[in-house]
Amino acid sequence: MLISNIFKHLKLITKHKWVVFKLSCKAGIPWRGFLHDFSKYSPTEFLESIKYYNGHKSPIVQARLDKGYSIAWLHHKGRNKHHTEYWVDFNAPEKNPIMPYKYVAEMLCDKLAAGIVYQGKDWTKEYPLNYWIKEKDRIVANEKIKDLITDFMTQISRNGIEKVLNQKNLKELYKKHCGNP
């Protein structure tokens, strides 16, 4: 089972990286797409993920159920600036600052790619918004970033990725919700 999990997880994270890269190219941030999630191949993240890999639920969720925390997630969010949790500092004057534009754009590509990869043929353009609505109250992030994500996912649900995911639109959304990129 462990050997099988190694190859299945490797295939999954590589497919996710590939989809993020393709979406990042559409968004005008190919370098961010190329660099996306390399930490998932590190021993800290990869070993826990193969241990808890089950094919239908996130290994991070499974680790939390088993141990009460996930070392892979703690490692991941601390090294990847496209996660809102990276920017949280409860001891700083601004607990949840506005993320820089390039990481917001990467985050949006990441969220779309996760749905596309994990939902497969069941993915619809409405899926990202429906998932975000369930998730957003649990996410620690600046409210302006949450509003931007909601606006973006709403646009995707109405018009699809091809019409919405482009640098011009992303910069306009960022400016509308967060100020100049």
Side-chain angles (χ1 to χ4, degrees):
M1 186 67 159
L2 186 60
I3 298 294
S4 173
N5 287 359
I6 291 170
F7 291 106
K8 288 177 183 176
H9 185 64
L10 186 61
K11 180 181 176 185
L12 180 72
I13 62 177
T14 303
K15 182 177 182 181
H16 173 72
K17 271 190 63 58
W18 176 244
V19 175
V20 170
F21 176 71
K22 291 191 304 184
L23 294 173
S24 294
C25 288
K26 288 180 184 290
I29 54 162
W31 186 243
R32 293 301 326 148
F34 174 74
L35 294 175
H36 181 80
D37 278 358
F38 269 117
S39 70
K40 285 187 176 182
Y41 298 96
S42 71
T44 302
E45 294 182 37
F46 195 78
L47 293 175
E48 183 179 82
S49 295
I50 60 171
K51 177 180 179 182
Y52 290 101
Y53 182 86
N54 62 39
H56 64 275
K57 203 178 245 185
S58 167
I60 289 169
V61 171
Q62 291 302 113
R64 286 178 180 151
L65 291 172
D66 184 39
K67 301 185 299 188
Y69 67 95
S70 166
I71 195 70
W73 173 244
L74 295 172
H75 186 270
H76 188 74
K77 71 174 181 150
R79 284 155 184 81
N80 293 281
K81 296 178 182 181
H82 65 276
H83 287 286
T84 59
E85 298 86 350
Y86 176 92
W87 298 94
V88 176
D89 184 347
F90 292 111
N91 295 314
E94 179 62 46
K95 312 255 183 278
N96 301 311
I98 294 173
M99 297 165 61
Y101 168 78
K102 65 183 176 181
Y103 302 118
V104 171
E106 181 183 355
M107 172 188 58
L108 295 172
C109 293
D110 184 33
K111 288 182 178 300
L112 289 176
I116 290 166
V117 170
Y118 299 121
Q119 292 301 303
K121 64 182 182 341
D122 295 329
W123 188 87
T124 65
K125 65 182 182 163
E126 294 80 22
Y127 177 81
L129 178 61
N130 293 334
Y131 187 86
W132 171 245
I133 288 169
K134 289 182 226 167
E135 175 185 54
K136 86 175 187 179
D137 290 335
R138 294 189 311 261
I139 299 297
V140 179
N142 186 289
E143 289 301 316
K144 292 178 181 181
I145 296 295
K146 286 184 175 186
D147 291 344
L148 184 155
I149 297 168
T150 303
D151 197 349
F152 177 76
M153 296 305 181
T154 300
Q155 287 183 10
I156 293 288
S157 73
R158 291 181 181 149
N159 302 310
I161 291 174
E162 291 302 318
K163 291 184 180 173
V164 175
L165 185 62
N166 60 70
Q167 191 172 38
K168 181 178 185 275
N169 187 48
L170 291 178
K171 285 192 174 187
E172 286 174 4
L173 282 171
Y174 191 89
K175 186 175 183 179
K176 173 182 171 184
H177 293 283
C178 304
N180 285 324

